[in-house]
Amino acid sequence: MSCSSLKHRFEEERQKGLSFKRAMEIYQEARGSVAAHETELEELRRAGAEASRVDHLREHLNDGKALLREIEGLRVH
């Protein structure tokens, strides 16, 4: 799943009430997605892909990294 989709799902579930377990599941999915996007981004750069494709992928990657930071910053009460 793309980083942007994961971020959207996280926000929806957070509004409804997010369990620690579910936050960790989304975190793990986001880590995998970020890693995959980083690999894909490097491959696109090497192949000389269009700037628009690189920029689009970079947006998804930024969303994923932001989601990871947000989940890392959660506090359990």
Side-chain angles (χ1 to χ4, degrees):
M1 180 171 284
S2 79
C3 294
S4 299
S5 297
L6 286 168
K7 185 166 178 52
H8 180 71
R9 184 187 319 159
F10 174 77
E11 293 301 329
E12 283 182 341
E13 291 191 31
R14 190 173 189 186
Q15 289 176 2
K16 295 176 186 174
L18 184 67
S19 70
F20 178 78
K21 179 181 177 184
R22 186 64 185 129
M24 290 307 299
E25 288 171 354
I26 294 172
Y27 182 84
Q28 292 301 324
E29 288 180 52
R31 280 185 58 197
S33 186
V34 164
H37 284 330
E38 287 175 335
T39 300
E40 185 179 355
L41 184 60
E42 185 59 33
E43 290 173 0
L44 287 175
R45 286 181 183 155
R46 285 184 191 158
E50 295 175 11
S52 61
R53 283 186 68 194
V54 171
D55 290 343
H56 180 75
L57 184 56
R58 191 175 287 129
E59 287 178 28
H60 285 280
L61 188 55
N62 289 339
D63 282 346
K65 288 179 178 181
L67 175 58
L68 292 174
R69 285 190 302 274
E70 187 173 351
I71 294 174
E72 289 168 357
L74 291 176
R75 300 281 183 241
V76 179
H77 299 274

